[in-house]
Structure formats: structure tokens, C-alpha cells
Amino acid sequence: MKEILVKSTIDGSMQPNLFYEAEEKHRPLLVGLHTWSHDRFNQVDNMLPLAKKNNWNLLLPEFRGENLPSNPHGEDACGSEKAKQDIIDAVNYVKENYDIDEENILLLGASGGGHMSLLMAAYSPKLWKAVCSFVPITDMGVWHQEAEGYRDGIEHCCGKYSSDNEEYKKRSPITYVDEIAQAQVKIYSGKWDSVVPCHHGLDLYNRIFEKHPEAKVYFEMFDGGHQMLLKDAERWLVAHTDSGKEEKVEVTG
């Protein structure tokens, strides 16, 4: 993979990303998002083999880094407007400079990356051919009460918690039910997840289904914890590219 610097359309800063160009021209682009406590290098070992196997281009954005007190720009991380626009800016850069299949842009993330993938589904729902979100935080205020070990990072990014702190609402996917319902999304939550309780994914899905039952948003609770199941992610993403449509077989009762 190579490093590419992309100028932010919000503040003009040069933001780092990693990019792998597929061996063939005009192939899908997979955008992979790092987890809560890490940076753009976090998903290389998981997503580069996935991209090579399927002959996809791969973009790993930084989107302002880890959501930790050690990040000097933490307020710009964790789903801020700058972080979201960084991903769009990076995708636009790749579209302008490489021959990718712009009709097949895929998005994948887990944990903090799952949280961010849902925010990006809301931010630009029609950009993504398919979005895959594993074990995501969907309500920052609720998670602040649940995740004692992550509380310092949450407050570093969002400020001290209070019911009227709008940053917690702005950075919560559950705020954007109407927008996420416009995208094609699969949410996976681990039944035994001790980091992000499984109700996060389920709560968001139920809100969407109640208001938009026709939405192409799906939920699966798997027998596991705080993890990403790459084979499941691959199956979902491949099935929704133009070249990978699965044949559906009707069954009789």
C-alpha cells in the first residue's frame, strides 16, 4: 500500500490515507475504517488480503486518528464533520486519480469503524453500494454510561457528558435514522459483546424498521463478542457488487 495525502475541503489540512490499487482497471473500491483506539494502519492485515482476493481497490482513511486522550486533535476525530468529510475527500481523490468502478464503492468497519461506517451511511447514503458495520456504537450518550474504560476517550472527543451536550447527539448514528434508511446497510452485533453491548445495533435497526420498513437495512446478531467476521463481511459486500449478485432460491412451506 502507498500513502496518499488529501487536502481537506473543510480546513485545508493535508490528511493521510493508505491506498492499494487493484491489478485490473475499473474495479470496485473498498473503503476500510479503523477501530476506536487506532489509526489508518489498523486494518491493513484484515482488509488488504480481502481486497487482493476480490481484486478490489482499497482505501484506508485516517479520518483524524484514534479516539483517545493521546490524540491532540481528538475533537476532530470520533465522527466529527471534519472526520466525515475527510473520508469523502479521500474517496473523491481516488475517483479523480485512479480508474475505479464508481458504481461499486463499498464501506466496511468494526467497533469505532462500525460506528463511523453508520455515520458515513447517513452522511452520504447514495455514495455506497453497500455498507457493512460490525459491533458499532450507535448512541454515544448511552455508551458513555456503559463503557467505563472508554469514557476518557469519549469525553476527550465529545466533551463532558450531559444530556444537553449536542456533540453526543451529532456523533450518534441513532440520530440519523432517516438518512441511514436511504443506504444499503448490514449491521452485525455480537450477542456476547462486553465492549459495545449488542443492543446498540439492534436498537438502531428497530428504529429504522419501525419508521422505514422498506429500507434496505438489515441486522444480524451473531454468536460472538467484540469482533469482525471477515467471511461474513466479504459475503455481504460481494453479493452487492454488480458482478456478485447472489441468486435467491424460493423455498416451499
Side-chain angles (χ1 to χ4, degrees):
M1 300 195 74
K2 63 181 178 181
E3 187 101 13
I4 58 173
L5 293 175
V6 178
K7 188 175 184 178
S8 166
T9 55
I10 292 182
D11 64 10
S13 62
M14 300 302 292
Q15 293 298 317
N17 305 263
L18 298 175
F19 181 68
Y20 165 77
E21 186 176 7
E23 293 184 359
E24 296 178 17
K25 300 296 184 182
H26 206 66
R27 293 294 300 160
L29 171 65
L30 173 63
V31 180
L33 304 181
H34 63 73
T35 58
W36 182 270
S37 303
H38 296 276
D39 59 15
R40 64 194 180 280
F41 295 95
N42 165 250
Q43 289 299 316
V44 172
D45 289 345
N46 283 328
M47 297 194 192
L48 184 55
L50 180 63
K52 288 182 175 180
K53 177 183 176 183
N54 291 282
N55 198 18
W56 294 339
N57 300 282
L58 175 63
L59 174 67
L60 301 178
E62 179 78 357
F63 57 101
R64 308 288 165 143
E66 63 273 17
N67 304 327
L68 297 177
S70 57
N71 182 348
H73 307 290
E75 71 279 1
D76 292 338
C78 194
S80 74
E81 291 300 305
K82 290 178 182 178
K84 290 185 288 187
Q85 189 58 41
D86 283 352
I87 294 173
I88 299 299
D89 291 340
V91 170
N92 287 339
Y93 178 91
V94 169
K95 288 165 62 175
E96 291 167 5
N97 290 278
Y98 299 91
D99 182 7
I100 69 164
D101 181 356
E102 297 184 17
E103 299 301 315
N104 286 279
I105 300 178
L106 312 169
L107 184 63
L108 173 60
S111 187
H115 163 258
M116 192 64 175
S117 69
L118 294 173
L119 288 176
M120 293 308 300
Y123 193 64
S124 188
K126 299 305 180 184
L127 175 62
W128 317 107
K129 189 61 176 285
V131 177
C132 191
S133 173
F134 273 86
V135 296
I137 304 108
T138 63
D139 189 318
M140 293 297 294
V142 170
W143 197 53
H144 178 273
Q145 305 306 308
E146 297 169 332
E148 183 176 354
Y150 292 84
R151 202 164 289 158
D152 288 347
I154 297 170
E155 294 192 354
H156 179 65
C157 297
C158 303
K160 290 291 184 181
Y161 176 74
S162 68
S163 59
D164 59 354
N165 183 337
E166 285 296 309
E167 289 301 317
Y168 284 77
K169 182 178 179 181
K170 289 177 183 177
R171 301 177 194 228
S172 294
I174 206 161
T175 302
Y176 306 103
V177 166
D178 295 338
E179 293 82 1
I180 294 172
Q182 299 175 42
Q184 185 155 247
V185 180
K186 183 71 176 283
I187 304 166
Y188 294 85
S189 290
K191 186 172 184 177
W192 315 114
D193 193 337
S194 61
V195 178
V196 180
C198 61
H199 73 79
H200 276 264
L202 183 59
D203 290 348
L204 175 61
Y205 171 76
N206 284 337
R207 292 267 192 100
I208 294 172
F209 185 74
E210 288 167 6
K211 194 171 183 182
H212 301 284
E214 77 290 349
K216 294 181 179 179
V217 178
Y218 308 93
F219 174 77
E220 181 174 324
M221 188 178 296
F222 62 89
D223 182 12
H226 196 65
Q227 60 197 116
M228 177 166 60
L229 307 178
L230 276 172
K231 289 184 178 179
D232 290 47
E234 180 180 22
R235 188 179 303 113
W236 165 258
L237 294 172
V238 168
H240 290 85
T241 60
D242 287 341
S243 61
K245 297 294 187 183
E246 288 185 331
E247 181 180 355
K248 294 180 173 62
V249 179
E250 296 292 333
V251 296
T252 58

